[in-house]
mmCIF file of all heavy atoms in Angstrom:
data_model
loop_
_atom_site.group_PDB
_atom_site.id
_atom_site.type_symbol
_atom_site.label_atom_id
_atom_site.label_comp_id
_atom_site.label_asym_id
_atom_site.label_seq_id
_atom_site.Cartn_x
_atom_site.Cartn_y
_atom_site.Cartn_z
ATOM 1 N N HIS A 506 -29.571 -22.205 -20.173
ATOM 2 C CA HIS A 506 -30.911 -21.713 -19.858
ATOM 3 C C HIS A 506 -31.957 -22.602 -20.544
ATOM 4 O O HIS A 506 -32.484 -22.244 -21.603
ATOM 5 C CB HIS A 506 -31.076 -20.266 -20.322
ATOM 6 C CG HIS A 506 -30.164 -19.299 -19.639
ATOM 7 N ND1 HIS A 506 -28.961 -18.906 -20.173
ATOM 8 C CD2 HIS A 506 -30.261 -18.671 -18.443
ATOM 9 C CE1 HIS A 506 -28.362 -18.057 -19.346
ATOM 10 N NE2 HIS A 506 -29.123 -17.908 -18.286
ATOM 11 N N PRO A 507 -32.257 -23.740 -19.966
ATOM 12 C CA PRO A 507 -33.275 -24.625 -20.553
ATOM 13 C C PRO A 507 -34.692 -24.131 -20.225
ATOM 14 O O PRO A 507 -35.389 -24.648 -19.358
ATOM 15 C CB PRO A 507 -32.978 -25.985 -19.903
ATOM 16 C CG PRO A 507 -32.279 -25.673 -18.634
ATOM 17 C CD PRO A 507 -31.581 -24.366 -18.808
ATOM 18 N N TRP A 508 -35.112 -23.115 -20.958
ATOM 19 C CA TRP A 508 -36.385 -22.464 -20.677
ATOM 20 C C TRP A 508 -37.571 -23.313 -21.134
ATOM 21 O O TRP A 508 -37.474 -24.108 -22.068
ATOM 22 C CB TRP A 508 -36.451 -21.115 -21.396
ATOM 23 C CG TRP A 508 -35.598 -20.053 -20.780
ATOM 24 C CD1 TRP A 508 -34.744 -20.170 -19.727
ATOM 25 C CD2 TRP A 508 -35.523 -18.686 -21.201
ATOM 26 N NE1 TRP A 508 -34.145 -18.964 -19.460
ATOM 27 C CE2 TRP A 508 -34.600 -18.034 -20.346
ATOM 28 C CE3 TRP A 508 -36.140 -17.954 -22.204
ATOM 29 C CZ2 TRP A 508 -34.286 -16.687 -20.476
ATOM 30 C CZ3 TRP A 508 -35.834 -16.610 -22.343
ATOM 31 C CH2 TRP A 508 -34.910 -15.980 -21.485
ATOM 32 N N ALA A 509 -38.702 -23.081 -20.498
ATOM 33 C CA ALA A 509 -39.988 -23.609 -20.951
ATOM 34 C C ALA A 509 -41.001 -22.484 -20.846
ATOM 35 O O ALA A 509 -41.069 -21.796 -19.824
ATOM 36 C CB ALA A 509 -40.420 -24.801 -20.096
ATOM 37 N N ALA A 510 -41.795 -22.287 -21.893
ATOM 38 C CA ALA A 510 -42.799 -21.225 -21.888
ATOM 39 C C ALA A 510 -44.072 -21.751 -22.537
ATOM 40 O O ALA A 510 -44.024 -22.363 -23.605
ATOM 41 C CB ALA A 510 -42.288 -20.000 -22.644
ATOM 42 N N VAL A 511 -45.195 -21.513 -21.881
ATOM 43 C CA VAL A 511 -46.467 -22.052 -22.356
ATOM 44 C C VAL A 511 -47.562 -21.000 -22.223
ATOM 45 O O VAL A 511 -47.457 -20.050 -21.440
ATOM 46 C CB VAL A 511 -46.867 -23.319 -21.573
ATOM 47 C CG1 VAL A 511 -45.836 -24.429 -21.786
ATOM 48 C CG2 VAL A 511 -47.035 -23.031 -20.076
ATOM 49 N N PHE A 512 -48.627 -21.205 -23.007
ATOM 50 C CA PHE A 512 -49.846 -20.414 -22.883
ATOM 51 C C PHE A 512 -50.932 -21.312 -22.294
ATOM 52 O O PHE A 512 -51.157 -22.431 -22.765
ATOM 53 C CB PHE A 512 -50.305 -19.884 -24.240
ATOM 54 C CG PHE A 512 -49.363 -18.881 -24.858
ATOM 55 C CD1 PHE A 512 -48.666 -19.198 -26.014
ATOM 56 C CD2 PHE A 512 -49.185 -17.631 -24.298
ATOM 57 C CE1 PHE A 512 -47.805 -18.282 -26.602
ATOM 58 C CE2 PHE A 512 -48.320 -16.703 -24.873
ATOM 59 C CZ PHE A 512 -47.631 -17.032 -26.029
ATOM 60 N N LEU A 513 -51.618 -20.804 -21.275
ATOM 61 C CA LEU A 513 -52.639 -21.574 -20.571
ATOM 62 C C LEU A 513 -54.008 -20.921 -20.739
ATOM 63 O O LEU A 513 -54.117 -19.688 -20.713
ATOM 64 C CB LEU A 513 -52.295 -21.647 -19.082
ATOM 65 C CG LEU A 513 -50.930 -22.240 -18.734
ATOM 66 C CD1 LEU A 513 -50.613 -22.000 -17.266
ATOM 67 C CD2 LEU A 513 -50.897 -23.730 -19.057
ATOM 68 N N PRO A 514 -55.072 -21.726 -20.890
ATOM 69 C CA PRO A 514 -56.417 -21.139 -20.997
ATOM 70 C C PRO A 514 -56.864 -20.556 -19.669
ATOM 71 O O PRO A 514 -56.544 -21.095 -18.598
ATOM 72 C CB PRO A 514 -57.289 -22.332 -21.423
ATOM 73 C CG PRO A 514 -56.554 -23.528 -20.922
ATOM 74 C CD PRO A 514 -55.089 -23.190 -20.996
ATOM 75 N N ASP A 515 -57.607 -19.473 -19.734
ATOM 76 C CA ASP A 515 -58.031 -18.772 -18.529
ATOM 77 C C ASP A 515 -58.851 -19.669 -17.608
ATOM 78 O O ASP A 515 -58.728 -19.595 -16.375
ATOM 79 C CB ASP A 515 -58.841 -17.539 -18.927
ATOM 80 C CG ASP A 515 -59.207 -16.669 -17.741
ATOM 81 O OD1 ASP A 515 -58.304 -16.308 -16.975
ATOM 82 O OD2 ASP A 515 -60.410 -16.368 -17.576
ATOM 83 N N ALA A 516 -59.664 -20.541 -18.186
ATOM 84 C CA ALA A 516 -60.543 -21.377 -17.378
ATOM 85 C C ALA A 516 -59.773 -22.312 -16.455
ATOM 86 O O ALA A 516 -60.298 -22.743 -15.418
ATOM 87 C CB ALA A 516 -61.466 -22.197 -18.293
ATOM 88 N N HIS A 517 -58.536 -22.640 -16.810
ATOM 89 C CA HIS A 517 -57.734 -23.558 -15.999
ATOM 90 C C HIS A 517 -56.472 -22.893 -15.458
ATOM 91 O O HIS A 517 -55.564 -23.592 -15.000
ATOM 92 C CB HIS A 517 -57.337 -24.780 -16.835
ATOM 93 C CG HIS A 517 -58.502 -25.558 -17.356
ATOM 94 N ND1 HIS A 517 -59.230 -26.417 -16.576
ATOM 95 C CD2 HIS A 517 -59.076 -25.586 -18.598
ATOM 96 C CE1 HIS A 517 -60.197 -26.964 -17.300
ATOM 97 N NE2 HIS A 517 -60.127 -26.477 -18.527
ATOM 98 N N ALA A 518 -56.408 -21.569 -15.492
ATOM 99 C CA ALA A 518 -55.151 -20.883 -15.179
ATOM 100 C C ALA A 518 -54.700 -21.132 -13.744
ATOM 101 O O ALA A 518 -53.540 -21.476 -13.496
ATOM 102 C CB ALA A 518 -55.287 -19.390 -15.443
ATOM 103 N N GLU A 519 -55.607 -20.959 -12.767
ATOM 104 C CA GLU A 519 -55.195 -21.148 -11.373
ATOM 105 C C GLU A 519 -54.667 -22.556 -11.132
ATOM 106 O O GLU A 519 -53.605 -22.752 -10.535
ATOM 107 C CB GLU A 519 -56.359 -20.874 -10.407
ATOM 108 C CG GLU A 519 -56.655 -19.406 -10.186
ATOM 109 C CD GLU A 519 -57.779 -18.935 -11.100
ATOM 110 O OE1 GLU A 519 -58.035 -19.609 -12.118
ATOM 111 O OE2 GLU A 519 -58.382 -17.905 -10.803
ATOM 112 N N ASP A 520 -55.422 -23.556 -11.594
ATOM 113 C CA ASP A 520 -55.030 -24.942 -11.343
ATOM 114 C C ASP A 520 -53.723 -25.278 -12.052
ATOM 115 O O ASP A 520 -52.833 -25.921 -11.468
ATOM 116 C CB ASP A 520 -56.128 -25.900 -11.808
ATOM 117 C CG ASP A 520 -57.369 -25.838 -10.922
ATOM 118 O OD1 ASP A 520 -57.264 -25.340 -9.790
ATOM 119 O OD2 ASP A 520 -58.434 -26.289 -11.372
ATOM 120 N N ALA A 521 -53.603 -24.870 -13.316
ATOM 121 C CA ALA A 521 -52.411 -25.222 -14.085
ATOM 122 C C ALA A 521 -51.169 -24.533 -13.537
ATOM 123 O O ALA A 521 -50.108 -25.160 -13.400
ATOM 124 C CB ALA A 521 -52.612 -24.864 -15.561
ATOM 125 N N VAL A 522 -51.276 -23.235 -13.215
ATOM 126 C CA VAL A 522 -50.128 -22.520 -12.652
ATOM 127 C C VAL A 522 -49.745 -23.132 -11.314
ATOM 128 O O VAL A 522 -48.557 -23.323 -11.015
ATOM 129 C CB VAL A 522 -50.434 -21.011 -12.517
ATOM 130 C CG1 VAL A 522 -49.350 -20.317 -11.697
ATOM 131 C CG2 VAL A 522 -50.538 -20.363 -13.898
ATOM 132 N N ALA A 523 -50.740 -23.451 -10.493
ATOM 133 C CA ALA A 523 -50.444 -24.072 -9.197
ATOM 134 C C ALA A 523 -49.758 -25.422 -9.380
ATOM 135 O O ALA A 523 -48.785 -25.735 -8.682
ATOM 136 C CB ALA A 523 -51.732 -24.239 -8.390
ATOM 137 N N ASP A 524 -50.247 -26.239 -10.324
ATOM 138 C CA ASP A 524 -49.620 -27.539 -10.565
ATOM 139 C C ASP A 524 -48.182 -27.381 -11.047
ATOM 140 O O ASP A 524 -47.277 -28.112 -10.624
ATOM 141 C CB ASP A 524 -50.428 -28.334 -11.595
ATOM 142 C CG ASP A 524 -51.733 -28.870 -11.029
ATOM 143 O OD1 ASP A 524 -51.892 -28.844 -9.789
ATOM 144 O OD2 ASP A 524 -52.593 -29.289 -11.826
ATOM 145 N N ILE A 525 -47.977 -26.441 -11.960
ATOM 146 C CA ILE A 525 -46.627 -26.224 -12.485
ATOM 147 C C ILE A 525 -45.678 -25.769 -11.384
ATOM 148 O O ILE A 525 -44.567 -26.298 -11.230
ATOM 149 C CB ILE A 525 -46.662 -25.195 -13.636
ATOM 150 C CG1 ILE A 525 -47.311 -25.803 -14.884
ATOM 151 C CG2 ILE A 525 -45.245 -24.710 -13.977
ATOM 152 C CD1 ILE A 525 -47.588 -24.806 -15.989
ATOM 153 N N LEU A 526 -46.108 -24.802 -10.581
ATOM 154 C CA LEU A 526 -45.219 -24.245 -9.566
ATOM 155 C C LEU A 526 -45.111 -25.137 -8.328
ATOM 156 O O LEU A 526 -44.067 -25.151 -7.663
ATOM 157 C CB LEU A 526 -45.689 -22.847 -9.171
ATOM 158 C CG LEU A 526 -45.632 -21.799 -10.299
ATOM 159 C CD1 LEU A 526 -46.050 -20.429 -9.783
ATOM 160 C CD2 LEU A 526 -44.248 -21.720 -10.909
ATOM 161 N N ASP A 527 -46.163 -25.908 -8.033
ATOM 162 C CA ASP A 527 -46.078 -26.814 -6.878
ATOM 163 C C ASP A 527 -45.056 -27.923 -7.127
ATOM 164 O O ASP A 527 -44.453 -28.441 -6.183
ATOM 165 C CB ASP A 527 -47.443 -27.436 -6.585
ATOM 166 C CG ASP A 527 -48.389 -26.450 -5.918
ATOM 167 O OD1 ASP A 527 -47.912 -25.376 -5.489
ATOM 168 O OD2 ASP A 527 -49.596 -26.735 -5.857
ATOM 169 N N GLY A 528 -44.855 -28.290 -8.393
ATOM 170 C CA GLY A 528 -43.881 -29.321 -8.715
ATOM 171 C C GLY A 528 -42.489 -28.796 -8.968
ATOM 172 O O GLY A 528 -41.568 -29.565 -9.274
ATOM 173 N N LEU A 529 -42.324 -27.495 -8.835
ATOM 174 C CA LEU A 529 -41.029 -26.865 -9.085
ATOM 175 C C LEU A 529 -40.250 -26.750 -7.777
ATOM 176 O O LEU A 529 -40.815 -26.447 -6.730
ATOM 177 C CB LEU A 529 -41.249 -25.474 -9.687
ATOM 178 C CG LEU A 529 -40.041 -24.725 -10.227
ATOM 179 C CD1 LEU A 529 -39.459 -25.427 -11.445
ATOM 180 C CD2 LEU A 529 -40.428 -23.284 -10.581
ATOM 181 N N THR A 530 -38.957 -26.998 -7.841
ATOM 182 C CA THR A 530 -38.088 -26.790 -6.684
ATOM 183 C C THR A 530 -37.094 -25.681 -7.016
ATOM 184 O O THR A 530 -36.842 -25.400 -8.197
ATOM 185 C CB THR A 530 -37.311 -28.065 -6.335
ATOM 186 O OG1 THR A 530 -36.408 -28.370 -7.430
ATOM 187 C CG2 THR A 530 -38.256 -29.234 -6.111
ATOM 188 N N PRO A 531 -36.515 -25.045 -5.991
ATOM 189 C CA PRO A 531 -35.510 -24.021 -6.281
ATOM 190 C C PRO A 531 -34.384 -24.519 -7.167
ATOM 191 O O PRO A 531 -33.888 -23.784 -8.026
ATOM 192 C CB PRO A 531 -35.022 -23.628 -4.881
ATOM 193 C CG PRO A 531 -36.212 -23.836 -4.006
ATOM 194 C CD PRO A 531 -36.868 -25.076 -4.551
ATOM 195 N N ARG A 532 -33.977 -25.768 -6.997
ATOM 196 C CA ARG A 532 -32.904 -26.304 -7.834
ATOM 197 C C ARG A 532 -33.332 -26.394 -9.300
ATOM 198 O O ARG A 532 -32.501 -26.214 -10.203
ATOM 199 C CB ARG A 532 -32.492 -27.692 -7.326
ATOM 200 C CG ARG A 532 -31.373 -28.344 -8.155
ATOM 201 C CD ARG A 532 -30.937 -29.675 -7.573
ATOM 202 N NE ARG A 532 -29.884 -30.293 -8.379
ATOM 203 C CZ ARG A 532 -30.120 -31.078 -9.423
ATOM 204 N NH1 ARG A 532 -31.375 -31.342 -9.776
ATOM 205 N NH2 ARG A 532 -29.119 -31.597 -10.105
ATOM 206 N N LEU A 533 -34.618 -26.685 -9.562
ATOM 207 C CA LEU A 533 -35.092 -26.840 -10.930
ATOM 208 C C LEU A 533 -35.338 -25.504 -11.634
ATOM 209 O O LEU A 533 -35.582 -25.479 -12.839
ATOM 210 C CB LEU A 533 -36.375 -27.679 -10.956
ATOM 211 C CG LEU A 533 -36.193 -29.157 -10.606
ATOM 212 C CD1 LEU A 533 -37.542 -29.844 -10.506
ATOM 213 C CD2 LEU A 533 -35.299 -29.844 -11.635
ATOM 214 N N LEU A 534 -35.292 -24.418 -10.871
ATOM 215 C CA LEU A 534 -35.378 -23.092 -11.479
ATOM 216 C C LEU A 534 -34.012 -22.427 -11.523
ATOM 217 O O LEU A 534 -33.656 -21.788 -12.514
ATOM 218 C CB LEU A 534 -36.361 -22.208 -10.708
ATOM 219 C CG LEU A 534 -36.592 -20.809 -11.279
ATOM 220 C CD1 LEU A 534 -37.235 -20.880 -12.660
ATOM 221 C CD2 LEU A 534 -37.468 -19.976 -10.337
ATOM 222 N N GLY A 535 -33.231 -22.607 -10.475
ATOM 223 C CA GLY A 535 -31.923 -21.974 -10.384
ATOM 224 C C GLY A 535 -31.986 -20.688 -9.590
ATOM 225 O O GLY A 535 -32.987 -19.969 -9.629
ATOM 226 N N GLU A 536 -30.929 -20.390 -8.875
ATOM 227 C CA GLU A 536 -30.883 -19.179 -8.046
ATOM 228 C C GLU A 536 -31.083 -17.921 -8.879
ATOM 229 O O GLU A 536 -31.619 -16.926 -8.402
ATOM 230 C CB GLU A 536 -29.547 -19.113 -7.303
ATOM 231 C CG GLU A 536 -29.392 -20.143 -6.192
ATOM 232 C CD GLU A 536 -30.314 -19.870 -5.024
ATOM 233 O OE1 GLU A 536 -30.689 -18.701 -4.813
ATOM 234 O OE2 GLU A 536 -30.663 -20.830 -4.318
ATOM 235 N N ALA A 537 -30.626 -17.945 -10.135
ATOM 236 C CA ALA A 537 -30.786 -16.778 -11.012
ATOM 237 C C ALA A 537 -31.998 -16.906 -11.915
ATOM 238 O O ALA A 537 -32.195 -16.095 -12.816
ATOM 239 C CB ALA A 537 -29.521 -16.597 -11.869
ATOM 240 N N GLY A 538 -32.836 -17.927 -11.680
ATOM 241 C CA GLY A 538 -34.004 -18.155 -12.518
ATOM 242 C C GLY A 538 -35.188 -17.297 -12.126
ATOM 243 O O GLY A 538 -35.194 -16.623 -11.086
ATOM 244 N N LEU A 539 -36.214 -17.352 -12.945
ATOM 245 C CA LEU A 539 -37.399 -16.511 -12.761
ATOM 246 C C LEU A 539 -38.573 -17.173 -13.465
ATOM 247 O O LEU A 539 -38.414 -17.762 -14.529
ATOM 248 C CB LEU A 539 -37.146 -15.122 -13.352
ATOM 249 C CG LEU A 539 -38.309 -14.139 -13.456
ATOM 250 C CD1 LEU A 539 -38.699 -13.659 -12.063
ATOM 251 C CD2 LEU A 539 -37.929 -12.953 -14.335
ATOM 252 N N VAL A 540 -39.744 -17.097 -12.845
ATOM 253 C CA VAL A 540 -40.981 -17.529 -13.501
ATOM 254 C C VAL A 540 -41.844 -16.297 -13.737
ATOM 255 O O VAL A 540 -42.058 -15.489 -12.820
ATOM 256 C CB VAL A 540 -41.761 -18.548 -12.649
ATOM 257 C CG1 VAL A 540 -43.035 -18.991 -13.387
ATOM 258 C CG2 VAL A 540 -40.889 -19.761 -12.332
ATOM 259 N N LEU A 541 -42.321 -16.151 -14.952
ATOM 260 C CA LEU A 541 -43.249 -15.083 -15.295
ATOM 261 C C LEU A 541 -44.643 -15.672 -15.466
ATOM 262 O O LEU A 541 -44.816 -16.708 -16.125
ATOM 263 C CB LEU A 541 -42.838 -14.394 -16.599
ATOM 264 C CG LEU A 541 -41.512 -13.628 -16.592
ATOM 265 C CD1 LEU A 541 -41.194 -13.131 -17.995
ATOM 266 C CD2 LEU A 541 -41.584 -12.456 -15.627
ATOM 267 N N VAL A 542 -45.635 -15.023 -14.894
ATOM 268 C CA VAL A 542 -47.034 -15.429 -15.044
ATOM 269 C C VAL A 542 -47.857 -14.167 -15.240
ATOM 270 O O VAL A 542 -47.904 -13.322 -14.338
ATOM 271 C CB VAL A 542 -47.543 -16.197 -13.802
ATOM 272 C CG1 VAL A 542 -49.017 -16.562 -13.968
ATOM 273 C CG2 VAL A 542 -46.708 -17.443 -13.545
ATOM 274 N N TYR A 543 -48.471 -14.030 -16.404
ATOM 275 C CA TYR A 543 -49.334 -12.864 -16.601
ATOM 276 C C TYR A 543 -50.314 -13.090 -17.748
ATOM 277 O O TYR A 543 -50.084 -13.935 -18.620
ATOM 278 C CB TYR A 543 -48.532 -11.583 -16.804
ATOM 279 C CG TYR A 543 -47.526 -11.550 -17.933
ATOM 280 C CD1 TYR A 543 -47.899 -11.188 -19.222
ATOM 281 C CD2 TYR A 543 -46.178 -11.813 -17.699
ATOM 282 C CE1 TYR A 543 -46.970 -11.099 -20.244
ATOM 283 C CE2 TYR A 543 -45.237 -11.744 -18.707
ATOM 284 C CZ TYR A 543 -45.637 -11.379 -19.983
ATOM 285 O OH TYR A 543 -44.711 -11.302 -20.994
ATOM 286 N N PRO A 544 -51.432 -12.342 -17.738
ATOM 287 C CA PRO A 544 -52.493 -12.572 -18.722
ATOM 288 C C PRO A 544 -52.253 -11.812 -20.027
ATOM 289 O O PRO A 544 -51.577 -10.781 -20.066
ATOM 290 C CB PRO A 544 -53.733 -12.037 -18.004
ATOM 291 C CG PRO A 544 -53.203 -10.916 -17.151
ATOM 292 C CD PRO A 544 -51.823 -11.348 -16.715
ATOM 293 N N LEU A 545 -52.856 -12.331 -21.085
ATOM 294 C CA LEU A 545 -52.871 -11.705 -22.399
ATOM 295 C C LEU A 545 -54.294 -11.806 -22.934
ATOM 296 O O LEU A 545 -54.996 -12.787 -22.671
ATOM 297 C CB LEU A 545 -51.911 -12.409 -23.358
ATOM 298 C CG LEU A 545 -50.448 -12.513 -22.946
ATOM 299 C CD1 LEU A 545 -49.737 -13.557 -23.795
ATOM 300 C CD2 LEU A 545 -49.755 -11.170 -23.076
ATOM 301 N N ARG A 546 -54.689 -10.812 -23.701
ATOM 302 C CA ARG A 546 -55.996 -10.877 -24.349
ATOM 303 C C ARG A 546 -55.811 -11.383 -25.778
ATOM 304 O O ARG A 546 -55.087 -10.788 -26.571
ATOM 305 C CB ARG A 546 -56.674 -9.511 -24.337
ATOM 306 C CG ARG A 546 -57.135 -9.084 -22.941
ATOM 307 C CD ARG A 546 -57.975 -7.831 -23.004
ATOM 308 N NE ARG A 546 -57.167 -6.682 -23.407
ATOM 309 C CZ ARG A 546 -57.668 -5.531 -23.860
ATOM 310 N NH1 ARG A 546 -58.968 -5.399 -23.998
ATOM 311 N NH2 ARG A 546 -56.880 -4.536 -24.179
ATOM 312 N N SER A 547 -56.483 -12.475 -26.100
ATOM 313 C CA SER A 547 -56.301 -13.112 -27.405
ATOM 314 C C SER A 547 -56.576 -12.157 -28.555
ATOM 315 O O SER A 547 -55.887 -12.188 -29.575
ATOM 316 C CB SER A 547 -57.205 -14.337 -27.520
ATOM 317 O OG SER A 547 -56.902 -15.290 -26.533
ATOM 318 N N ILE A 548 -57.560 -11.295 -28.390
ATOM 319 C CA ILE A 548 -57.942 -10.398 -29.476
ATOM 320 C C ILE A 548 -56.830 -9.411 -29.822
ATOM 321 O O ILE A 548 -56.760 -8.895 -30.933
ATOM 322 C CB ILE A 548 -59.247 -9.645 -29.124
ATOM 323 C CG1 ILE A 548 -59.847 -8.999 -30.383
ATOM 324 C CG2 ILE A 548 -58.997 -8.610 -28.030
ATOM 325 C CD1 ILE A 548 -61.211 -8.401 -30.160
ATOM 326 N N MET A 549 -55.922 -9.171 -28.879
ATOM 327 C CA MET A 549 -54.828 -8.234 -29.122
ATOM 328 C C MET A 549 -53.659 -8.898 -29.851
ATOM 329 O O MET A 549 -52.783 -8.209 -30.368
ATOM 330 C CB MET A 549 -54.323 -7.660 -27.800
ATOM 331 C CG MET A 549 -55.354 -6.876 -27.026
ATOM 332 S SD MET A 549 -56.078 -5.520 -27.983
ATOM 333 C CE MET A 549 -54.616 -4.537 -28.352
ATOM 334 N N LEU A 550 -53.622 -10.221 -29.883
ATOM 335 C CA LEU A 550 -52.528 -10.941 -30.537
ATOM 336 C C LEU A 550 -52.980 -11.296 -31.951
ATOM 337 O O LEU A 550 -53.543 -12.353 -32.214
ATOM 338 C CB LEU A 550 -52.174 -12.200 -29.739
ATOM 339 C CG LEU A 550 -51.704 -11.931 -28.308
ATOM 340 C CD1 LEU A 550 -51.641 -13.227 -27.524
ATOM 341 C CD2 LEU A 550 -50.349 -11.249 -28.311
ATOM 342 N N ARG A 551 -52.732 -10.391 -32.880
ATOM 343 C CA ARG A 551 -53.257 -10.540 -34.235
ATOM 344 C C ARG A 551 -52.159 -10.932 -35.224
ATOM 345 O O ARG A 551 -52.232 -11.961 -35.871
ATOM 346 C CB ARG A 551 -53.920 -9.226 -34.677
ATOM 347 C CG ARG A 551 -55.089 -8.811 -33.795
ATOM 348 C CD ARG A 551 -55.688 -7.496 -34.253
ATOM 349 N NE ARG A 551 -54.749 -6.385 -34.141
ATOM 350 C CZ ARG A 551 -54.583 -5.650 -33.053
ATOM 351 N NH1 ARG A 551 -55.292 -5.896 -31.978
ATOM 352 N NH2 ARG A 551 -53.708 -4.668 -33.023
ATOM 353 N N ALA A 552 -51.132 -10.083 -35.358
ATOM 354 C CA ALA A 552 -50.076 -10.329 -36.342
ATOM 355 C C ALA A 552 -49.143 -11.419 -35.835
ATOM 356 O O ALA A 552 -48.694 -11.389 -34.695
ATOM 357 C CB ALA A 552 -49.293 -9.048 -36.604
ATOM 358 N N GLY A 553 -48.855 -12.381 -36.703
ATOM 359 C CA GLY A 553 -47.953 -13.444 -36.298
ATOM 360 C C GLY A 553 -48.466 -14.190 -35.099
ATOM 361 O O GLY A 553 -47.707 -14.638 -34.247
ATOM 362 N N ARG A 554 -49.793 -14.328 -35.035
ATOM 363 C CA ARG A 554 -50.452 -14.903 -33.860
ATOM 364 C C ARG A 554 -49.892 -16.279 -33.535
ATOM 365 O O ARG A 554 -49.926 -17.184 -34.367
ATOM 366 C CB ARG A 554 -51.937 -14.994 -34.136
ATOM 367 C CG ARG A 554 -52.766 -15.555 -32.984
ATOM 368 C CD ARG A 554 -54.189 -15.784 -33.457
ATOM 369 N NE ARG A 554 -54.992 -16.393 -32.396
ATOM 370 C CZ ARG A 554 -55.903 -15.741 -31.697
ATOM 371 N NH1 ARG A 554 -56.104 -14.466 -31.916
ATOM 372 N NH2 ARG A 554 -56.614 -16.354 -30.787
ATOM 373 N N PRO A 555 -49.393 -16.481 -32.325
ATOM 374 C CA PRO A 555 -48.955 -17.827 -31.939
ATOM 375 C C PRO A 555 -50.157 -18.727 -31.742
ATOM 376 O O PRO A 555 -51.291 -18.264 -31.614
ATOM 377 C CB PRO A 555 -48.219 -17.578 -30.611
ATOM 378 C CG PRO A 555 -48.868 -16.353 -30.058
ATOM 379 C CD PRO A 555 -49.247 -15.499 -31.248
ATOM 380 N N ALA A 556 -49.938 -20.035 -31.738
ATOM 381 C CA ALA A 556 -51.021 -20.966 -31.424
ATOM 382 C C ALA A 556 -51.437 -20.741 -29.980
ATOM 383 O O ALA A 556 -50.627 -20.862 -29.065
ATOM 384 C CB ALA A 556 -50.547 -22.395 -31.634
ATOM 385 N N LEU A 557 -52.693 -20.393 -29.779
ATOM 386 C CA LEU A 557 -53.179 -20.039 -28.449
ATOM 387 C C LEU A 557 -54.307 -20.967 -28.027
ATOM 388 O O LEU A 557 -55.036 -21.507 -28.870
ATOM 389 C CB LEU A 557 -53.702 -18.597 -28.435
ATOM 390 C CG LEU A 557 -52.696 -17.477 -28.669
ATOM 391 C CD1 LEU A 557 -53.418 -16.142 -28.716
ATOM 392 C CD2 LEU A 557 -51.624 -17.471 -27.590
ATOM 393 N N PRO A 558 -54.492 -21.153 -26.728
ATOM 394 C CA PRO A 558 -55.660 -21.882 -26.250
ATOM 395 C C PRO A 558 -56.940 -21.113 -26.561
ATOM 396 O O PRO A 558 -56.917 -19.928 -26.912
ATOM 397 C CB PRO A 558 -55.435 -21.959 -24.737
ATOM 398 C CG PRO A 558 -54.008 -21.597 -24.512
ATOM 399 C CD PRO A 558 -53.619 -20.710 -25.643
ATOM 400 N N GLN A 559 -58.071 -21.784 -26.419
ATOM 401 C CA GLN A 559 -59.360 -21.142 -26.615
ATOM 402 C C GLN A 559 -59.632 -20.148 -25.490
ATOM 403 O O GLN A 559 -59.208 -20.339 -24.357
ATOM 404 C CB GLN A 559 -60.467 -22.190 -26.655
ATOM 405 C CG GLN A 559 -60.394 -23.134 -27.841
ATOM 406 C CD GLN A 559 -60.636 -22.425 -29.157
ATOM 407 O OE1 GLN A 559 -61.537 -21.590 -29.266
ATOM 408 N NE2 GLN A 559 -59.825 -22.739 -30.163
ATOM 409 N N GLY A 560 -60.336 -19.073 -25.817
ATOM 410 C CA GLY A 560 -60.760 -18.130 -24.800
ATOM 411 C C GLY A 560 -60.279 -16.724 -25.062
ATOM 412 O O GLY A 560 -59.301 -16.499 -25.779
#
Side-chain angles (χ1 to χ4, degrees):
H506 297 95
W508 286 4
V511 297
F512 294 113
L513 303 169
D515 186 52
H517 300 283
E519 283 96 340
D520 290 342
V522 169
D524 287 347
I525 289 171
L526 296 183
D527 285 348
L529 189 66
T530 65
R532 179 177 179 273
L533 291 173
L534 183 64
E536 289 291 334
L539 171 71
V540 181
L541 295 174
V542 178
Y543 57 87
L545 303 164
R546 289 188 292 163
S547 299
I548 195 172
M549 298 304 300
L550 299 169
R551 299 179 296 273
R554 181 188 177 106
L557 294 176
Q559 294 294 317

